[in-house]
Amino acid sequence: MSEYNKKKDKEFLKKFCKSGSIAKLKQVFSDIMGNKQIKCMFLDPDCAPIEGNQKAHPEIAKALRLRLPEAVENFTCSCGKHCMTIPVKQGDNVYGYIVGLHLKQPLDKTSAAFVKIYIDLALKEFQKEQELTKLYDTIRPRAIALSTIHTIHRLLSSTLNMDELIERMARLSLQVMRCRSCSIMLIDESGKYLMPKAVIDLNNNGGKKDVCKYRKIKVGSGIIGNVARSGKVYRFRSLMCVPLIEEDTVGVICVKKKTSKASFSNFDLEILLTLAEQAVIAIRNAKLYEEQEKAAYGSIKSLAVLLDAKSPNMYTRSERFTKITLAVAEEMRLSREEIKDLHYAVLLPDTGKFGIPDKILKKQGGLSLGEFNIIKKQHLESLKILQPLEFLKPAMPIIKHHHERYDGMGYPDGLKGKQIPLGARIMAVVEAFEAMVSARPYKDKRITISQAIKEIERNKGTQFDPEVVASFISALKKLDLKKLFYDLLMNK
Amino acid sequence: MKNLLKSEVTKKILLFFNENPHSIDTAKGISVWIGCDMDKVQRSLDLLVKKGMVINHKTISTDAYSYTTKKDIVKKIEKHIKSLA
């Protein structure tokens, strides 16, 4: 038998001798033999003592070594007392021997047969237990690791915003690798440089660092640059860099310094590679989504330019209007999707005016009831221009209802209060403000910013949503008004 | 900490993360690993997040949980878990 197998069998016997089955056997035997508590000696297949009364009766081990009993047998020790030997074996494989010492009487044949059967059954049961424990110890951590990878996949797939995605990836990598620092760099459009996109360093009091402070790295330069160029991993003690590959290398993810201060292992590398593969898929999806958004935005801008060509500033709004509207939306903590839809609506707020005759649109002074009804009707008709653009669907209610009033006295549907989409309520405030401070063909003069703000406040609860007004005022305070209203200041 | 560890579910969650610090999983997943009712696990996780012992990776579609990365908290938890063992 090889040394390795001998060692394995010895370990097995040690555990078996400590098991509940042997403790029970000793108890039962003590009762049968009339002993208070049977003392046992455990010997390995070479009859060397494992545990038990190792100091007592060393001659027993010596004697047994000479003849290696194959069945349960009685014998007398040097003290003249009854003892017995029980081989612990399965088939031809002998794990060792249990020696019962100083029995009150020798073991009879029936009891010997009982002991043999019991040891057989106990061995089988113990082996099964060992197999189950081994299975549990090997499969459970792998199952947990698999579940982790699956959960990460779900977390990464839940966002299509590139910045959010990259930062989330960095945090998840930090968590899974249990390291102190993680950075993700993506190759720029030229293909020559790696641009830092997310850097998290737990040594830096909680983490996220301003990526602008990190310089770009030339592909092929240094460890990270070489990982990007070669597409090969780098692992050394407290640093691991793995390329992000989708056909070509698109970036590199680096982790540094395990929390436990141990070196990164092969297992760590496998995990990071798996993470990187998932990351690449998520990045690709985010990029596709970004391109789709750009195309959508481009379409709207083209339409806005076309409408502007017909009549400047009649169907579209200024950059300032857009900035203020989006600032109010951020102040009110709208989601990214909601802000995006509002942005689309802001680019084409008055498409509805397209079919309205110029003499009504550009009329100085108030409108007659008939003229106002034309405006209301045309507003709905002209929204049909935007209907074929599927991606504008969420923005349509904002465009349609931004002329509603909070008190229900607006148009086209007379919606009241919170019935009006929030984006429309925001646009109503900003549009009124912008109209007051800018020159419009149907107005004689403009008023100052502070006067306009006061006017807005006066009309909260009637024309405007009070919550939106409050957020509008907060948002204005945070903006650089001198820069924003530069054109107005210059045209005083 | 002692009060927290009075709850069997909370104790099992902390033990789970102590043994598997790399893992990130949902409340459902964790309830499977520790063999406890999912609602009880969710409540314990919410409490542990408040205490800063567990991190909530929250997205629109998924709430996932992982062990804190703060060394001092990990050491504190380890000390208390060992004293219970």
Side-chain angles (χ1 to χ4, degrees):
Chain A
M1 189 188 269
S2 70
E3 281 306 312
Y4 172 73
N5 285 333
K6 272 187 186 174
K7 196 178 172 187
K8 246 178 77 181
D9 287 346
K10 203 169 173 175
E11 286 302 316
F12 179 83
L13 184 69
K14 252 190 198 167
K15 286 180 190 169
F16 180 61
C17 293
K18 285 182 185 169
S19 71
S21 308
I22 297 299
K24 275 184 201 153
L25 178 69
K26 276 159 87 171
Q27 186 56 52
V28 165
F29 236 66
S30 301
D31 293 340
I32 292 173
M33 303 304 283
N35 283 58
K36 235 183 185 175
Q37 181 79 27
I38 282 188
K39 287 184 183 162
C40 290
M41 202 161 79
F42 300 98
L43 308 174
D44 69 13
D46 297 329
C47 293
I50 290 175
E51 76 176 77
N53 295 331
Q54 293 177 19
K55 287 181 184 169
H57 294 298
E59 83 284 2
I60 292 178
K62 226 178 176 178
L64 285 173
R65 215 171 284 143
L66 295 171
R67 53 191 182 80
L68 295 176
E70 289 191 4
V72 179
E73 56 179 56
N74 294 304
F75 67 95
T76 313
C77 65
S78 55
C79 313
K81 291 192 176 162
H82 300 291
C83 300
M84 68 174 170
T85 320
I86 308 167
V88 178
K89 62 188 252 181
Q90 246 182 355
D92 290 334
N93 192 25
V94 178
Y95 290 103
Y97 304 91
I98 301 173
V99 180
L101 299 164
H102 299 178
L103 308 172
K104 280 202 171 163
Q105 52 188 307
L107 198 64
D108 60 65
K109 269 189 184 169
T110 314
S111 300
F114 158 75
V115 166
K116 185 177 178 305
I117 293 167
Y118 183 89
I119 292 285
D120 272 346
L121 289 171
L123 254 179
K124 278 179 188 156
E125 197 187 302
F126 186 70
Q127 270 170 339
K128 273 186 197 163
E129 258 178 50
Q130 292 293 291
E131 293 273 340
L132 275 169
T133 305
K134 198 177 166 190
L135 206 67
Y136 183 86
D137 287 344
T138 45
I139 288 186
R140 185 178 150 96
R142 276 168 167 71
I144 291 171
L146 198 65
S147 190
T148 296
I149 298 290
H150 174 65
T151 306
I152 288 173
H153 170 74
R154 287 170 65 179
L155 291 171
L156 291 181
S157 308
S158 69
T159 182
L160 288 168
N161 176 276
M162 187 65 87
D163 293 333
E164 206 178 289
L165 171 67
I166 302 281
E167 200 201 311
R168 191 175 290 169
M169 254 163 44
R171 290 206 179 275
L172 292 174
S173 303
L174 212 72
Q175 181 66 46
V176 173
M177 305 308 303
R178 298 302 284 184
C179 58
R180 306 297 297 166
S181 165
C182 176
S183 61
I184 297 178
M185 306 186 92
L186 297 183
I187 294 180
D188 68 1
E189 279 172 13
S190 70
K192 290 181 184 169
Y193 293 97
L194 282 156
M195 308 299 290
K197 294 290 178 187
V199 180
I200 300 183
D201 188 349
L202 295 181
N203 295 315
N204 191 36
N205 288 326
K208 189 181 158 188
K209 283 184 163 181
D210 186 355
V211 291
C212 300
K213 291 184 180 166
Y214 285 80
R215 57 183 179 83
K216 57 189 179 185
I217 293 175
K218 199 173 178 190
V219 172
S221 162
I223 293 172
I224 299 175
N226 270 305
V227 166
R229 190 182 61 179
S230 64
K232 289 187 180 160
V233 305
Y234 175 87
R235 177 173 69 91
F236 185 73
R237 282 190 206 153
S238 59
L239 172 68
M240 227 171 24
C241 295
V242 154
L244 297 166
I245 298 177
E246 187 208 3
E247 291 178 16
D248 288 326
T249 306
V250 298
V252 177
I253 178 167
C254 291
V255 291
K256 279 188 208 171
K257 292 180 190 167
K258 286 183 83 159
T259 316
S260 62
K261 294 184 184 171
S263 302
F264 286 114
S265 64
N266 276 334
F267 184 68
D268 291 327
L269 182 59
E270 266 183 55
I271 298 286
L272 192 60
L273 280 168
T274 309
L275 264 174
E277 280 164 20
Q278 291 197 319
V280 159
I281 297 169
I283 289 171
R284 184 184 61 198
N285 289 343
K287 267 191 184 154
L288 283 171
Y289 182 75
E290 241 177 35
E291 278 161 25
Q292 195 181 46
E293 285 219 309
K294 267 186 193 160
Y297 185 78
S299 310
I300 301 174
K301 271 300 245 185
S302 296
L303 191 55
V305 164
L306 201 67
L307 290 170
D308 247 5
K310 183 183 186 280
S311 223
N313 300 320
M314 188 56 64
Y315 309 102
T316 61
R317 294 289 176 270
S318 61
E319 283 289 325
R320 178 174 56 238
F321 179 86
T322 308
K323 274 193 180 130
I324 298 174
T325 307
L326 297 181
V328 177
E330 298 255 4
E331 187 70 26
M332 295 190 80
R333 297 185 191 278
L334 266 62
S335 68
R336 274 185 207 273
E337 275 299 304
E338 286 169 327
I339 292 176
K340 183 193 77 182
D341 295 331
L342 182 54
H343 194 176
Y344 286 163
V346 157
L347 290 173
L348 294 168
D350 285 321
T351 323
K353 288 182 184 168
F354 191 70
I356 298 171
D358 277 356
K359 66 172 184 180
I360 297 176
L361 277 180
K362 292 174 183 174
K363 184 181 175 185
Q364 297 277 346
L367 296 169
S368 68
L369 186 63
E371 286 164 342
F372 190 59
N373 284 335
I374 291 172
I375 286 178
K376 277 182 7 184
K377 190 184 166 193
Q378 201 54 42
H379 177 73
L380 287 173
E381 286 297 310
S382 300
L383 286 173
K384 288 175 185 173
I385 297 170
L386 301 175
Q387 263 178 5
L389 299 170
E390 267 302 311
F391 59 86
L392 275 183
K393 226 174 171 176
M396 291 288 276
I398 303 173
I399 297 171
K400 185 179 175 186
H401 294 295
H402 78 279
H403 289 300
E404 302 284 2
R405 283 172 57 110
Y406 197 68
D407 56 10
M409 304 296 283
Y411 71 94
D413 295 333
L415 298 183
K416 199 176 172 182
K418 308 292 182 200
Q419 288 176 328
I420 308 167
L422 178 56
R425 281 180 264 147
I426 294 173
M427 273 184 71
V429 171
V430 182
E431 184 157 57
F433 172 77
E434 179 72 8
M436 282 188 268
V437 299
S438 322
R440 289 280 170 89
Y442 46 83
K443 274 170 63 227
D444 297 325
K445 58 176 181 172
R446 51 189 166 89
I447 59 177
T448 65
I449 293 168
S450 49
Q451 284 172 325
I453 291 172
K454 279 193 181 125
E455 190 60 26
I456 298 277
E457 276 195 300
R458 210 184 351 259
N459 283 284
K460 69 181 180 193
T462 51
Q463 194 174 349
F464 309 120
D465 180 341
E467 277 176 33
V468 173
V469 170
S471 299
F472 166 74
I473 292 167
S474 299
L476 269 188
K477 284 179 185 163
K478 292 175 185 171
L479 291 169
D480 182 349
L481 295 179
K482 272 189 190 157
K483 205 175 166 185
L484 212 53
F485 291 94
Y486 181 76
D487 59 324
L488 293 180
L489 293 168
M490 287 296 107
N491 289 336
K492 265 186 198 171
Chain B
M1 177 68 76
K2 279 183 184 164
N3 281 336
L4 269 177
L5 292 176
K6 278 181 187 167
S7 157
E8 201 55 40
V9 175
T10 307
K11 203 164 64 182
K12 282 186 177 180
I13 293 173
L14 288 174
L15 255 168
F16 168 77
F17 277 125
N18 197 253
E19 287 165 1
N20 303 281
H22 311 81
S23 81
I24 301 176
D25 219 324
T26 57
K28 188 178 177 185
I30 294 168
S31 70
V32 167
W33 302 127
I34 66 173
C36 290
D37 175 68
M38 195 185 114
D39 290 332
K40 289 181 182 170
V41 167
Q42 183 67 72
R43 281 196 289 274
S44 292
L45 283 168
D46 290 340
L47 181 61
L48 289 169
V49 166
K50 273 189 191 152
K51 299 282 181 190
M53 294 178 187
V54 164
I55 300 170
N56 183 353
H57 302 270
K58 199 175 180 64
T59 68
I60 298 167
S61 58
T62 308
D63 267 352
Y65 300 89
S66 65
Y67 205 22
T68 178
T69 47
K70 292 185 179 157
K71 275 195 271 194
D72 52 335
I73 300 179
V74 171
K75 271 190 185 153
K76 201 176 170 190
I77 296 170
E78 242 173 30
K79 189 177 150 195
H80 278 88
I81 284 175
K82 275 183 185 162
S83 70
L84 289 169

